[in-house]
Amino acid sequence: MFDQCRLPVMVFDSTLRAVRATAGAQHELGLSEERMAGRSVTEILPPHICHEVEDGMCRVLGTGETERFPVRGRARPGAPERVWSITVSPLRDPAGRVRHLEVSALDITEQHLARERLALLNDVSAQIGSTLDVMRTAQETADVAVGRLADFVTIDLRDSLFRGVEPRPSRTGAVTLRRAAQQSVLPGVPEALVAPGDLDDYPESSPPARCLATGRPSLHRTLDGAVRAWQEADPRRSGVVRAFGIHSLMVIPLRARGVILGVAVFVRHRREDPFTEDDLSLAEEIGARAAVAVDNARRYTLERETALALQRSLLPHRLAAQDAVEVAHRYLPARTRAGLGGDWFDVIPLSGARVALVVGDVVGHGLRASATMGRLRTAVRTLADVDLPPDELLTHLDDLITHVSAEEETPAPRRSAGLEVPTDLIATCLYVVYDPVSGRCTAATAGHPPPAVVTPAGGVDFAAIPPGPPLGLGGLPFETLDWEVPAGGLLVLYTDGLVQGEEHDPGGGLDRLRRALERPARSLEATCDHLVRTLLPSHPGDDVVLLAARARALGPDRVATWDLPSEPAAVARARSGVLDRLAEWHLDDVAFTAELLVSELVTNAIRYGRPPVQLRLIHGTSLIVEVYDGSSTAPHLRRARAFDEGGRGLLLVAQFAQRWGTRHRAEGKTIWAEIELPVRQRQP
């Protein structure tokens, strides 16, 4: 039986010395039974195997129970590494005492490798793609493969992927790739020639360049002609091969959706066994899954950068000069998989030295939300130029969103909330108008958080604006709130991303904002930085817009007002009074232009309007001329014909003024015109 048994089986005595060995054991160990007889287990088995087997035999001698355990190694020098299932069984005498041990070995290499490959693929699916970052996804791929399949792994991607350019099919020739990730079983990755993020050049004949061109994986020994030619063309790489004893490598294309994104190189130098065709198939599977994860990350990054570029292009790049407020702002895009939102802000100069402060938020994320935000911001600026009151402006804006929603061909209804409109065509908006002459604010809100008002003494409160529905719902009116803001007071407008989050509800967020504003910083920029640091996590889950405005006041020394009788003689008195005031303000350079505009506007008010008539001059960064009368009929600019006696007044106003327009009130209207002042005469 022992001579014919092909299964490796040996019998040892209680001192762990060999007694018998089957033909299978003699074949695997390369020793005859006579040479093994009487020798200890440590003298028969290789060092990397004998200790595990000896420990198991000692346990069986002590317990008398059969044990089974795996052992990995080489049965003799030069033999391939294999995995054995070792079974140690006690052999008892008639008295029941353990006299001998039977040790049998079953080759389970194929089953073990199959389980290892399956476990590796499961880990690849679980660990690769945990983030939507290209570099991080590539590094996860290298981390999961090193130590289990390869000793050193590099992942190189096309440089165009990092520049937002769609990759194209490769052409033959030398290629330059950017190192996305690398990992080694050795500390510090000493085999690497470049660092992550740097470029690496591959000659045309090198396996990575050919893999990128053909899209086919390849398995190489360092003695192959292709690898030797590569080493000759790259002496530095040849030195690494010799220094670390690299003997085998695989080059795998990273292909996703028909496009090769880059290559992964798997290297062995610590393991003595070279890569096999089974290893190549496993590496291909890893590369395929990694490529899809990398491409998902790339597409997400590209979409996010596109949305961010779109959103930044739609937000104001440089705020227009105005006299009413000093302004600081912050825009922080979200850093989540949901993508960018539709938050926006604006500072719009209005007639009469007033200013409109606008903050809004489109529900939803992505390019569509950004595009909707751009449409709303443009609409707000257009309606603001008409000088509509805040409540009327929001009403028109609500009508606009309702019409746009009706034009949508394939709306995505938000059924969970019972709203049959697309969620990214719903928006909130806060519109605040501040008048530096009267020192008063008028505001209306469409479902937006109220602004914080900070007095010069440090008191903080939130304006109790009557709440209105979000834009896009329609059917309900908007109301306004009017309150006084002292000079030096602070208005803080924001989106809900500043006060909402996982750590606090909206009410708690408002309390946190109140406490943060009770310790004001010296400047508006410092105030914004303080609020961002205090209220936001390092990676906000939603877009955040913050707009801080410090109120200025235009006192009596910069405003002049005349009540005029509705008679032609008042025009001359108005011109005289204006010239005297301009002399006091040292604005002689624009006296002629101002006199001409006052003459035309007052004449039109007396001739075509109704009493009372009032003239007002405002001296700021520009000179503003305003004429009020009790008629609601607005003048229109027209081109006078050759023989017309009238119709040229407004044409002169439009030619000499920097801007002009009409502002309606509940009773009457105001026609205004702005005159640009020399830099030395502008008031701060």
Side-chain angles (χ1 to χ4, degrees):
M1 183 192 70
F2 272 88
D3 290 340
Q4 296 180 8
C5 181
R6 298 302 176 185
L7 183 68
V9 179
M10 293 188 66
V11 177
F12 292 85
D13 61 19
S14 59
T15 63
L16 305 187
R17 292 187 179 276
V19 177
R20 294 299 306 269
T22 64
Q26 297 174 52
H27 174 73
E28 292 293 345
L29 297 173
L31 297 172
S32 65
E33 188 178 33
E34 290 76 12
R35 292 188 60 185
M36 289 187 285
R39 300 175 68 176
S40 67
V41 66
T42 57
E43 296 173 321
I44 297 174
L45 299 180
H48 51 277
I49 294 180
C50 69
H51 297 300
E52 296 183 51
V53 176
E54 185 179 30
D55 291 342
M57 295 169 69
C58 292
R59 290 194 300 270
V60 173
L61 283 174
T63 63
E65 301 292 336
T66 300
E67 280 202 17
R68 183 178 292 109
F69 50 89
V71 172
R72 185 169 188 162
R74 292 174 173 81
R76 64 178 182 272
E81 186 178 73
R82 307 175 80 172
V83 181
W84 306 87
S85 175
I86 304 297
T87 302
V88 181
S89 303
L91 300 179
R92 306 175 187 273
D93 60 13
R97 291 170 296 191
V98 178
R99 293 297 189 181
H100 295 83
L101 297 175
E102 179 192 50
V103 180
S104 62
L106 179 64
D107 187 355
I108 59 170
T109 304
E110 292 300 325
Q111 300 93 315
H112 182 79
L113 291 179
R115 287 195 296 268
E116 279 192 339
R117 293 188 179 101
L118 182 58
L120 179 56
L121 290 178
N122 287 337
D123 290 344
V124 166
S125 301
Q127 298 179 25
I128 295 179
S130 62
T131 66
L132 287 173
D133 179 80
V134 173
M135 298 286 284
R136 180 59 189 164
T137 301
Q139 188 61 50
E140 289 170 348
T141 305
D143 293 342
V144 76
V146 161
R148 302 172 69 175
L149 179 61
D151 299 325
F152 173 53
V153 175
T154 64
I155 296 179
D156 298 321
L157 301 177
R158 296 181 185 273
D159 187 45
S160 59
L161 296 179
F162 299 90
R163 293 184 281 107
V165 179
E166 286 289 333
R168 297 181 178 179
S170 297
R171 298 178 180 178
T172 57
V175 295
T176 299
L177 301 176
R178 190 172 295 278
R179 180 63 49 83
Q182 57 192 18
Q183 189 56 276
S184 170
V185 293
L186 302 177
V189 196
E191 307 97 324
L193 294 177
V194 299
D198 294 343
L199 296 174
D200 199 359
D201 298 318
Y202 294 99
E204 179 179 0
S205 60
S206 65
R210 295 196 315 190
C211 175
L212 205 63
T214 63
R216 292 193 295 268
S218 57
L219 175 62
H220 303 274
R221 301 293 297 271
T222 52
L223 299 178
D224 294 350
V227 178
R228 294 179 64 181
W230 185 16
Q231 295 182 60
E232 292 175 0
D234 192 343
R236 293 179 59 213
R237 208 174 303 270
S238 177
V240 169
V241 171
R242 291 193 303 270
F244 293 95
I246 295 174
H247 59 80
S248 180
L249 62 92
M250 298 184 295
V251 182
I252 307 298
L254 300 178
R255 186 199 307 271
R257 299 175 177 92
V259 178
I260 301 177
L261 308 177
V263 295
V265 179
F266 297 80
V267 173
R268 276 186 182 174
H269 55 74
R270 294 291 293 273
R271 288 192 186 186
E272 297 181 9
D273 295 336
F275 289 117
T276 64
E277 291 295 333
D278 289 339
D279 294 327
L280 185 64
S281 299
L282 177 60
E284 282 188 84
E285 184 67 26
I286 294 175
R289 300 189 186 190
V292 172
V294 168
D295 192 54
N296 289 339
R298 176 190 68 84
R299 289 172 177 267
Y300 166 77
T301 301
L302 179 60
E303 180 180 347
R304 187 178 186 280
E305 292 299 325
T306 303
L308 183 59
L310 172 63
Q311 189 153 12
R312 290 194 182 280
S313 68
L314 296 175
L315 292 172
H317 297 280
R318 184 176 58 85
L319 299 179
Q322 39 80 33
D323 300 307
V325 292
E326 175 192 357
V327 177
H329 59 86
R330 294 290 184 273
Y331 169 67
L332 285 80
R335 298 184 179 273
T336 63
R337 294 191 180 188
L340 298 175
D343 293 17
W344 91 92
F345 70 95
D346 214 339
V347 178
I348 308 173
L350 302 177
S351 62
R354 299 170 305 136
V355 67
L357 306 174
V358 189
V359 170
D361 183 3
V362 177
V363 176
H365 295 84
L367 288 172
R368 198 155 175 260
S370 298
T372 302
M373 176 271 291
R375 300 165 79 174
L376 290 181
R377 179 172 176 260
T378 302
V380 169
R381 294 194 69 91
T382 302
L383 295 172
D385 286 342
V386 186
D387 262 324
L388 293 177
D391 53 341
E392 293 185 22
L393 184 143
L394 292 182
T395 300
H396 285 286
L397 203 60
D398 182 60
D399 292 340
L400 170 66
I401 294 185
T402 302
H403 294 157
V404 172
S405 300
E407 294 172 0
E408 290 292 328
E409 296 181 356
T410 56
R414 188 182 175 185
R415 301 184 185 278
S416 60
L419 305 177
E420 294 297 329
V421 293
T423 57
D424 51 351
L425 290 182
I426 296 177
T428 65
C429 184
L430 173 64
Y431 189 82
V432 179
V433 176
Y434 172 66
D435 187 348
V437 177
S438 64
R440 300 193 68 80
C441 266
T442 304
T445 179
H448 203 83
V453 182
V454 185
T455 64
V460 182
D461 201 359
F462 293 97
I465 306 174
L471 302 173
L473 298 184
L476 295 176
F478 299 96
E479 300 182 50
T480 61
L481 175 69
D482 187 85
W483 75 95
E484 185 175 353
V485 179
L490 187 64
L491 297 172
V492 179
L493 287 71
Y494 50 90
T495 55
D496 56 6
L498 186 69
V499 296
Q500 290 184 2
E502 296 180 356
E503 299 179 356
H504 47 266
D505 57 15
L510 293 179
D511 291 338
R512 287 161 53 91
L513 176 60
R514 184 195 303 272
R515 291 194 297 270
L517 289 173
E518 288 174 350
R519 300 182 294 275
R522 296 181 180 179
S523 66
L524 289 183
E525 296 292 337
T527 298
C528 291
D529 292 338
H530 171 66
L531 293 178
V532 169
R533 287 194 308 268
T534 304
L535 301 177
L536 294 179
S538 57
H539 297 288
D542 192 7
D543 289 15
V544 174
V545 162
L546 174 62
L547 180 63
R550 193 181 305 280
R552 296 170 177 158
L554 298 178
D557 57 328
R558 296 173 60 182
V559 180
T561 305
W562 294 270
D563 291 323
L564 303 175
S566 185
E567 57 185 29
V571 178
R573 292 197 296 271
R575 289 200 301 265
S576 176
V578 167
L579 291 176
D580 292 341
R581 182 52 62 96
L582 294 181
E584 295 179 12
W585 287 344
H586 307 288
L587 299 180
D588 298 327
D589 293 345
V590 297
F592 173 77
T593 302
E595 183 181 13
L596 175 63
L597 296 182
V598 167
S599 178
E600 292 296 335
L601 295 181
V602 172
T603 299
N604 280 344
I606 292 175
R607 178 176 297 181
Y608 303 109
R610 293 203 305 258
V613 178
Q614 188 181 73
L615 169 65
R616 185 168 74 167
L617 292 183
I618 302 174
H619 179 203
T621 54
S622 61
L623 180 66
I624 301 174
V625 178
E626 294 185 341
V627 175
Y628 167 78
D629 70 86
S631 172
S632 59
T633 303
H636 297 283
L637 184 65
R638 67 180 179 87
R639 185 177 295 277
R641 293 185 293 271
F643 297 102
D644 288 350
E645 296 183 0
R648 296 178 177 83
L650 286 182
L651 182 62
L652 289 175
V653 171
Q655 292 298 317
F656 281 90
Q658 182 183 9
R659 295 193 310 155
W660 76 281
T662 303
R663 181 171 73 250
H664 289 273
R665 301 185 186 179
E667 296 180 357
K669 65 179 181 298
T670 298
I671 304 177
W672 55 271
E674 286 188 15
I675 303 172
E676 185 176 8
L677 296 178
V679 176
R680 68 179 186 279
Q681 294 178 335
R682 297 176 184 174
Q683 290 289 340

